[in-house]
Amino acid sequence: MKTDTELKHLDLVAENKKASISILIIVVLFALIVTIIELLFQSSLIEVNSSQSHNLKLFLYSLSTLALIFILFRKFNKFRDLLNLDSKQKEDLLKESLKKEEEIIRERILLKTVIDNIPDAIYAKDLECRKTLANKTDLENMNCSSEAEALGKSDYNYFPKEVADAFFKDDQEIIQTGKSVISREEYFYDSNGVKNWLLTSKVPLRDPEGKIIGLIGIGHNITHRKKSELIREVLYDISESALSSQNINDLYKKIHEEISKLMSGKNFYIALLDEKKDEISFPYMVDEYDDPYEPRKPGNGLTEYVLRTGEAKLIDIELDMKLRESGEVELVGTPTEIWLGVPLKLYGKTFGAIVVQDYHNPDAFKEEELQLLSFVADQISQTIERKKYIDAINKYAQELTEMNLTKDKFFSIIAHDLKSPFQGLLGYSQILVDEFPTLAEEEKKEFILSMDELIHSAYKLLENLLEWSRLQTGKMQFRPELIRVKEEMSGTLNLLAQTASNKGIILKYNIDDSITVFADKNMFAAIIRNLISNAIKFTNIGGKIIVSAERKDSYIELSITDSGVGMPKDRIDDLFKIDKSISSKGTANEEGTGLGLLLCKEMVDKHNGKIWIESELGKGSKFSFTLPLLKP
């Protein structure tokens, strides 16, 4: 630091230097003017005689000399005034100068302090969009330790390219057009990859002549507000989905989509606890590596840890290892970098959990995400439970509708299909009673055969009705066991062989002796009997029916293929619907009730199998169904 005396001395020296330089410049200018006058007279540009030339030259020299003397006199007086100042005046002048400098320095410090402590980001950029000013908040946004580190650098040094591109385009538009931007929403990702929102205002920066030399920007952080708005939107959308979605799985999918708006949702699942079954199910799961988890008994996984404690847990690799070493949890599935699970509760009781996890980024979830997901889970717990009740009510309503349809179908069969054969029987019996003596033997035989067919038809109908009613009321016994397909099927095929032969139909089956299924014998026989009878009914004289069985992964697929009349696709879709099932006459005018295929469908469903049809009009049909290979 220099003393006051040294500062005064330096001030005087500076003034002396200024005065000396001014005098030197004036002398040089005077010499230059004299030279120019001499050159003018030596040239032919001024045409005068020698006497006139001498007088004019003298006049110009005198005029220049007077001007020089006047200027030097003024400079000398100013310099003399400075030298003649007494020590007190010089000291006052110096103090005033120092005071102004201190005020300027103090104002700069004050302005810098204010700018740095304003919670909003304040910055300035040049024409190339490089930082020329950055306050502390702006430095924090860029993850810079000091302003010196940021100055001269652009957004491309600190933000992802797509974000920096948007900033650069916006800044250049302001610089090129001179138009300000007021309160525009922008976003950036901080050093932890968290999305932050700013309400930004930018104005062009101009020099004293009004030329644009850059811009000044202010960014107010509105991340908290945006998150609050987003949470409200997410909860509203989930609530709306609970009312509009067709089933609860659609709601689970919607919950996943909405939570993914708040945080990383690449790996997400919902777990539900059924205390009665002592089972954890995973009705919805999306994961980069693991397949959806099968229902299981509660164990020591992280999911069970949340269900046991009823608390939200944020678990990184280090904590996971500690929990495993202590025996608190065990590894289930692929290890993750970070795991976040929150309980689903209703009336203080935990009934499930929502889990997000990340296999690559250990910073994907922090305390903020834990609090956020916990809040959302508290809100959607009621939504999930409400949706379950809505689905249960809809299911009961559907079951009541089906029961009514079943009742209507039952009475329709009794009123029509069961009545028809008895009407025929009454007709034939009346003829036999009234005209028996006069009837020829061939006529009597024909009537008796017709009555026999009607009796068998009525018996078959009654048999189906009884089976169907037992299924509907749950009174049909279901006793699955391991049976040999060929052995159990042979009896049914032998009974139907004559019926097929009467129409000239070839009935073949190609089944390996070793093929077995886990099924109820009586139901298996009923399924085969109804499907083959149906094939015979709709196959023309001279046609062919093939029965086959093929072993698949964990089940057996059985097929009955005929060369019959086939059916259009719209008819296929209605065959297994009780409200759409319509009986049709066979190729030999065989009667039917439409009950047979419905029975097959319900019996196959009882075995957790599937039944389907492939058919083409005029080319035949293929009825296939599956049964389990072993006991589930």
Side-chain angles (χ1 to χ4, degrees):
M1 288 289 291
K2 291 181 172 59
T3 64
D4 290 345
T5 304
E6 289 174 329
L7 289 171
K8 293 176 185 178
H9 176 71
L10 288 173
D11 185 55
L12 291 173
V13 171
E15 291 294 337
N16 287 336
K17 284 183 179 179
K18 289 180 182 178
S20 301
I21 292 171
S22 299
I23 294 171
L24 179 61
I25 291 172
I26 292 168
V27 171
V28 172
L29 286 173
F30 177 76
L32 182 62
I33 291 170
V34 171
T35 304
I36 291 172
I37 293 171
E38 193 66 35
L39 289 172
L40 287 173
F41 280 97
Q42 288 179 4
S43 67
S44 57
L45 293 174
I46 302 178
E47 297 180 357
V48 292
N49 55 41
S50 58
S51 176
Q52 291 175 328
S53 173
H54 177 74
N55 292 333
L56 182 59
K57 187 186 297 185
L58 184 62
F59 172 76
L60 292 174
Y61 283 155
S62 299
L63 185 63
S64 299
T65 302
L66 287 172
L68 175 63
I69 292 170
F70 176 74
I71 293 171
L72 288 174
F73 179 76
R74 291 195 62 183
K75 287 290 180 182
F76 178 76
N77 283 340
K78 184 175 180 182
F79 183 62
R80 184 190 61 191
D81 292 342
L82 180 65
L83 293 175
N84 289 336
L85 289 173
D86 59 32
S87 59
K88 188 176 185 311
Q89 288 176 318
K90 290 179 182 179
E91 185 177 350
D92 291 342
L93 184 63
L94 183 61
K95 284 181 179 180
E96 184 179 353
S97 176
L98 290 172
K99 183 179 179 181
K100 287 181 179 179
E101 289 182 7
E102 288 174 356
E103 286 178 356
I104 292 172
I105 293 171
R106 188 164 56 251
E107 287 175 359
R108 285 180 178 175
I109 293 173
L110 178 62
L111 181 61
K112 182 65 175 172
T113 301
V114 170
I115 289 175
D116 278 343
N117 287 279
I118 287 177
D120 294 341
I122 299 176
Y123 55 88
K125 297 180 181 179
D126 61 18
L127 295 175
E128 301 299 323
C129 298
R130 295 171 299 208
K131 288 287 175 75
T132 57
L133 170 71
N135 73 340
K136 286 184 178 179
T137 303
D138 191 50
L139 293 174
E140 289 172 1
N141 291 343
M142 295 185 292
N143 197 30
C144 286
S145 57
S146 66
E147 187 179 22
E149 180 185 344
L151 296 183
K153 295 180 181 177
S154 71
D155 292 325
Y156 287 97
N157 296 104
Y158 301 104
F159 301 113
K161 186 178 183 301
E162 61 272 15
V163 175
D165 282 342
F167 286 169
F168 182 81
K169 181 181 178 182
D170 193 40
D171 294 346
Q172 284 298 309
E173 184 176 349
I174 293 167
I175 291 170
Q176 298 298 327
T177 64
K179 294 181 180 179
S180 300
V181 168
I182 305 298
S183 298
R184 174 184 291 172
E185 291 186 357
E186 297 179 337
Y187 69 87
F188 69 94
Y189 291 93
D190 62 20
S191 58
N192 294 321
V194 177
K195 191 175 186 179
N196 284 258
W197 285 90
L198 296 175
L199 191 64
T200 300
S201 295
K202 301 176 185 178
V203 296
L205 180 64
R206 302 175 184 270
D207 63 13
E209 285 74 35
K211 184 180 178 182
I212 294 176
I213 57 174
L215 64 84
I216 294 177
I218 301 176
H220 178 63
N221 196 307
I222 56 170
T223 304
H224 182 72
R225 191 195 81 191
K226 291 291 288 185
K227 284 186 177 179
S228 297
E229 291 174 356
L230 190 56
I231 290 171
R232 286 196 297 271
E233 291 175 7
V234 163
L235 294 176
Y236 176 79
D237 289 344
I238 290 174
S239 297
E240 285 292 299
S241 180
L243 298 174
S244 61
S245 56
Q246 296 298 315
N247 54 63
I248 198 163
N249 288 326
D250 291 339
L251 175 61
Y252 293 150
K253 183 177 180 182
K254 184 66 176 178
I255 290 172
H256 176 212
E257 291 173 356
E258 294 301 320
I259 287 179
S260 296
K261 294 178 182 178
L262 303 174
M263 62 191 70
S264 174
K266 290 183 293 184
N267 305 285
F268 173 95
Y269 64 83
I270 294 174
L272 298 178
L273 174 64
D274 189 330
E275 290 186 339
K276 290 182 179 179
K277 294 183 178 179
D278 190 30
E279 181 180 85
I280 299 175
S281 61
F282 301 86
Y284 185 88
M285 180 172 176
V286 174
D287 197 272
E288 292 178 274
Y289 299 105
D290 293 340
D291 294 329
Y293 300 147
E294 294 294 329
R296 65 174 187 244
K297 295 289 183 182
N300 287 327
L302 290 175
T303 304
E304 289 89 337
Y305 186 44
V306 170
L307 294 174
R308 279 198 310 273
T309 61
E311 299 175 355
K313 300 295 181 181
L314 180 64
I315 300 173
D316 56 16
I317 292 179
E318 184 179 353
L319 180 55
D320 187 27
M321 289 301 297
K322 288 181 180 178
L323 290 171
R324 277 193 261 167
E325 288 172 359
S326 67
E328 189 76 22
V329 302
E330 60 186 26
L331 179 62
V332 177
T334 305
T336 62
E337 289 287 332
I338 191 76
W339 188 94
L340 171 59
V342 299
L344 292 169
K345 292 184 176 182
L346 199 63
Y347 310 119
K349 188 175 183 179
T350 302
F351 69 89
I354 293 179
V355 175
V356 289
Q357 52 190 342
D358 199 291
Y359 294 101
H360 312 291
N361 181 14
D363 298 318
F365 310 114
K366 298 287 187 180
E367 185 65 25
E368 181 181 357
E369 280 73 29
L370 183 146
Q371 298 296 332
L372 188 58
L373 190 58
S374 296
F375 176 76
V376 173
D378 287 343
Q379 307 305 310
I380 65 177
S381 291
Q382 294 184 10
T383 303
I384 291 174
E385 198 67 16
R386 184 168 64 247
K387 182 59 180 174
K388 287 166 69 176
Y389 288 140
I390 291 172
D391 281 1
I393 291 170
N394 290 337
K395 182 182 177 182
Y396 295 149
Q398 181 64 29
E399 288 176 354
L400 286 172
T401 301
E402 290 178 357
M403 287 175 65
N404 282 329
L405 289 171
T406 301
K407 179 194 68 177
D408 293 343
K409 181 73 175 178
F410 187 81
F411 284 115
S412 171
I413 291 169
I414 292 175
H416 180 269
D417 296 317
L418 192 57
K419 179 182 176 182
S420 296
F422 281 101
Q423 284 179 330
L425 283 172
L426 287 171
Y428 285 128
S429 64
Q430 189 66 45
I431 292 173
L432 289 173
V433 168
D434 294 341
E435 303 177 17
F436 188 81
T438 60
L439 292 174
E441 289 299 318
E442 287 297 321
E443 288 178 317
K444 293 176 183 176
K445 186 176 180 181
E446 183 180 341
F447 287 158
I448 292 170
L449 287 173
S450 296
M451 291 175 70
D452 182 66
E453 287 182 9
L454 288 171
I455 290 169
H456 278 86
S457 176
Y459 176 78
K460 182 179 178 182
L461 175 58
L462 284 171
E463 188 179 46
N464 281 342
L465 280 171
L466 288 171
E467 286 181 344
W468 188 40
S469 66
R470 286 199 297 269
L471 276 171
Q472 299 302 312
T473 57
K475 292 181 179 179
M476 177 176 276
Q477 291 185 337
F478 179 61
R479 295 175 178 172
E481 58 183 296
L482 201 61
I483 60 174
R484 292 189 177 276
V485 172
K486 188 173 182 179
E487 183 179 322
E488 293 298 325
M489 196 180 286
S490 60
T492 304
L493 291 173
N494 290 335
L495 286 173
L496 295 171
Q498 185 58 47
T499 308
S501 178
N502 291 340
K503 291 182 69 172
I505 296 171
I506 299 172
L507 180 59
K508 297 178 65 176
Y509 62 94
N510 182 23
I511 300 170
D512 193 291
D513 291 335
S514 63
I515 294 179
T516 59
V517 291
F518 192 76
D520 181 281
K521 283 186 178 182
N522 293 327
M523 288 189 183
F524 179 76
I527 295 169
I528 296 298
R529 183 177 68 249
N530 277 290
L531 290 180
I532 295 178
S533 296
N534 187 74
I536 293 171
K537 178 180 176 182
F538 292 104
T539 299
N540 289 309
I541 296 171
K544 182 187 295 185
I545 298 172
I546 299 174
V547 182
S548 61
E550 183 180 358
R551 185 183 286 109
K552 298 288 185 176
D553 294 332
S554 59
Y555 57 88
I556 297 295
E557 182 180 308
L558 295 102
S559 300
I560 291 88
T561 307
D562 64 60
S563 60
V565 295
M567 68 189 88
K569 187 179 184 305
D570 57 346
R571 181 66 191 278
I572 293 174
D573 296 337
D574 293 338
L575 279 180
F576 298 120
K577 297 177 182 177
I578 191 168
D579 57 326
K580 297 289 183 67
S581 181
I582 301 172
S583 176
S584 301
K585 288 188 177 182
T587 55
N589 291 319
E590 298 100 321
E591 295 287 348
T593 64
L595 265 182
L597 293 180
L598 291 175
L599 276 171
C600 291
K601 174 73 166 60
E602 295 201 22
M603 290 179 178
V604 169
D605 288 346
K606 193 78 173 174
H607 289 82
N608 294 319
K610 294 180 180 179
I611 185 167
W612 66 96
I613 306 167
E614 301 168 61
S615 184
E616 189 174 348
L617 193 61
K619 294 187 177 180
S621 303
K622 180 181 180 181
F623 286 74
S624 302
F625 67 97
T626 61
L627 294 175
L629 187 61
L630 298 171
K631 182 178 180 179

